[in-house]
Amino acid sequence: MMSCTGSIGRQYRHATREAFLGASRTRRVPAQRSRGTTVKAVANQPYGRVWNFSAGPACLPLDVLERAQDELLNWGGSGVSVMEMSHRGKEFQSIIAKTEGDLRTLLNVPDNYKILFAQGGASTQFSSIPLNLTSSQDDTVDHIVTGSWSKKAVKEAERYARVNIVASGDNKSIPPAGTWNLSEDAKYVHYCDNETIQGVEFQVPPAVGNKILVADMSSNFCSKPIDVSKFGIIYAGAQKNIGPAGVTIVIVREDLIGAARDITPTMLDYKTLADDNSLYNTPPCWSIYMCGLVFEKMLEDGGLTAVHKYNKSKAGILYDIIDQSNGFYSCPTEHSVRSLMNVPFTIPASADLEKLFIEEAAKLGMVQLKGHRSVGGMRASIYNSMPHEGVVALTEFMLEFAERHAT
């Protein structure tokens, strides 16, 4: 029954290798040091590292980790680690300034937008946004619901405003724009650009006219070029595409700052962070520093256009294996909204085979493939820093596993 077995499987293995080789010829390959033993078989990486398909915190570029390792004890000749230096000293001032500057260059952020380095994760922004953009509980805010994270944003917004559900998806598609029910007086329209759990991604931002558009981009931030000027606010936790957990990026148009409600906690008021360049209190210094290293690498590697091309290539390899499996594997997400970052898939024939798949993959150095507890199955998160090699390793295992278990 399997269309990926036999000669087709061999042809596709060749294709995936060629796709990887083509990409690696144009992409800078990080220097690899030999230290201790390494995981062999599929992983075959230095330091005994594995292919980490975690939805977050996620893998980081190896050369970024190596640079952080080199600078850990004595950053820039300062005699101290970034984790030890004062956030008000000139050393960290230079780190945060460069991090912001490189991000502004990467995304071509207009001058009338502030870049804030907040704490509390993206979930804290579910409260910050209505507190900063509404004036009372009677104000209306619009929410587009396409999965788990946009549902959580609704639940929190209801504490501070009247929520109008513009559209509610089925966790595998985005309702057609013609069916949306936008409010005339909504203070803003909120949506999640990429649903990490369900693997539903907007291919273009929602068209909402002159309304303020607010985007949760936690799981696809800096994965593709975007026009920041279309948004009032963009926010994203760092731990998927740009760094370790601990910092949340908030890009906010300046005219939306300064009108927070009286009940707004000091640290949730965007003016607090904007007025002090995100240094009102001690920020997550190490996380900001690591994000800066990632931004610098992304610029060196060709910017977001190159990143997007690389991500499309990786996702294409994985989705092709699923689609050509003659039903052995299945992706529940509608083709037109499939995520480049999070690829959910199942083995419809047997939940026991899914469990075996996850166990065998882990033994071969491919970890964190278990789907979210709310949906089950498998999920491969292939963020910016997941190399082509990791995706190819996964697809070759998928082919081999299917050949053994197809009936």
Side-chain angles (χ1 to χ4, degrees):
M1 294 177 62
M2 285 291 296
S3 64
C4 277
T5 58
S7 62
I8 295 178
R10 288 190 292 274
Q11 291 169 9
Y12 204 82
R13 288 189 182 94
H14 176 74
T16 55
R17 289 192 183 96
E18 285 300 303
F20 160 63
L21 289 172
S24 65
R25 292 186 189 108
T26 59
R27 187 173 185 268
R28 182 170 60 86
V29 178
Q32 297 184 350
R33 302 175 182 177
S34 176
R35 179 180 295 175
T37 59
T38 61
V39 175
K40 296 183 178 179
V42 174
N44 194 29
Q45 294 192 79
Y47 308 107
R49 290 171 61 80
V50 296
W51 300 123
N52 178 15
F53 293 94
S54 171
C59 60
L60 288 166
L62 180 60
D63 47 351
V64 165
L65 293 173
E66 289 179 324
R67 179 174 170 185
Q69 182 185 50
D70 287 343
E71 298 177 347
L72 180 63
L73 298 179
N74 183 353
W75 180 86
S78 65
V80 296
S81 170
V82 173
M83 291 185 283
E84 301 170 306
M85 62 179 55
S86 168
H87 64 289
R88 304 203 185 279
K90 63 180 181 179
E91 293 86 2
F92 186 74
Q93 296 275 349
S94 69
I95 289 172
I96 195 171
K98 186 176 188 305
T99 299
E100 178 183 336
D102 284 351
L103 178 57
R104 193 172 287 275
T105 299
L106 266 176
L107 288 172
N108 194 25
V109 178
D111 291 340
N112 64 324
Y113 283 75
K114 291 287 189 181
I115 296 177
L116 310 177
F117 298 97
Q119 302 183 57
S123 294
T124 300
Q125 296 305 309
F126 296 165
S127 299
S128 292
I129 290 160
L131 285 169
N132 280 271
L133 299 189
T134 67
S135 58
S136 78
Q137 185 75 42
D138 293 328
D139 285 343
T140 299
V141 298
D142 280 356
H143 278 249
I144 302 169
V145 176
T146 52
S148 297
W149 289 106
S150 49
K151 290 176 184 175
K152 287 177 185 259
V154 166
K155 186 174 181 180
E156 193 66 16
E158 288 175 337
R159 297 165 59 92
Y160 306 106
R162 298 179 187 273
V163 175
N164 170 56
I165 303 299
V166 173
S168 186
D170 56 5
N171 294 328
K172 57 185 178 182
S173 64
I174 298 173
T179 67
W180 294 1
N181 178 34
L182 291 163
S183 302
E184 291 185 4
D185 59 345
K187 293 296 185 179
Y188 60 84
V189 181
H190 179 282
Y191 81 107
C192 181
D193 203 57
N194 183 75
E195 291 282 2
T196 317
I197 294 173
Q198 287 81 18
V200 173
E201 183 172 17
F202 280 78
Q203 305 306 302
V204 294
V208 296
N210 61 357
K211 297 182 184 298
I212 296 169
L213 185 61
V214 177
D216 176 356
M217 292 191 177
S218 291
S219 55
N220 65 350
F221 188 64
C222 285
S223 68
K224 58 186 178 182
I226 59 171
D227 182 355
V228 174
S229 68
K230 290 183 177 181
F231 301 86
I233 297 175
I234 296 169
Y235 65 98
Q239 67 272 14
K240 301 177 187 298
N241 263 324
I242 60 170
V247 64
T248 302
I249 307 295
V250 182
I251 302 173
V252 55
R253 207 171 64 208
E254 289 180 344
D255 63 293
L256 301 179
I257 299 173
R261 292 184 23 198
D262 291 341
I263 62 170
T264 305
T266 299
M267 291 308 299
L268 299 192
D269 187 341
Y270 293 144
K271 191 173 189 301
T272 301
L273 293 176
D275 285 352
D276 283 293
N277 297 315
S278 301
L279 295 171
Y280 176 83
N281 68 341
T282 305
C285 298
W286 179 260
S287 296
I288 293 170
Y289 157 74
M290 289 296 293
C291 288
L293 297 186
V294 173
F295 296 153
E296 183 177 318
K297 172 181 169 58
M298 292 169 74
L299 287 170
E300 291 173 354
D301 286 349
L304 296 187
T305 298
V307 168
H308 190 214
K309 181 179 179 181
Y310 192 63
N311 286 333
K312 287 195 294 185
S313 175
K314 291 186 297 182
I317 292 171
L318 184 49
Y319 282 121
D320 281 351
I321 284 292
I322 295 169
D323 293 341
Q324 295 179 21
S325 70
N326 196 29
F328 185 85
Y329 299 110
S330 176
C331 174
T333 311
E334 184 182 287
H335 282 250
S336 63
V337 297
R338 284 178 168 180
S339 170
L340 298 184
M341 302 286 97
N342 310 102
V343 182
F345 60 101
T346 63
I347 300 176
S350 170
D352 289 338
L353 280 179
E354 293 177 348
K355 182 179 179 181
L356 182 63
F357 179 98
I358 294 166
E359 291 174 352
E360 290 190 4
K363 291 177 181 177
L364 294 172
M366 293 172 284
V367 302
Q368 299 296 324
L369 284 166
K370 186 177 181 179
H372 190 270
R373 60 187 180 277
S374 65
V375 296
M378 286 83 70
R379 174 179 55 176
S381 294
I382 51 174
Y383 300 118
N384 291 353
S385 299
M386 170 57 67
H388 256 274
E389 300 100 313
V391 178
V392 170
L394 175 59
T395 56
E396 291 191 337
F397 170 67
M398 291 172 70
L399 282 168
E400 188 274 333
F401 188 87
E403 288 171 352
R404 282 191 284 119
H405 296 286
T407 58

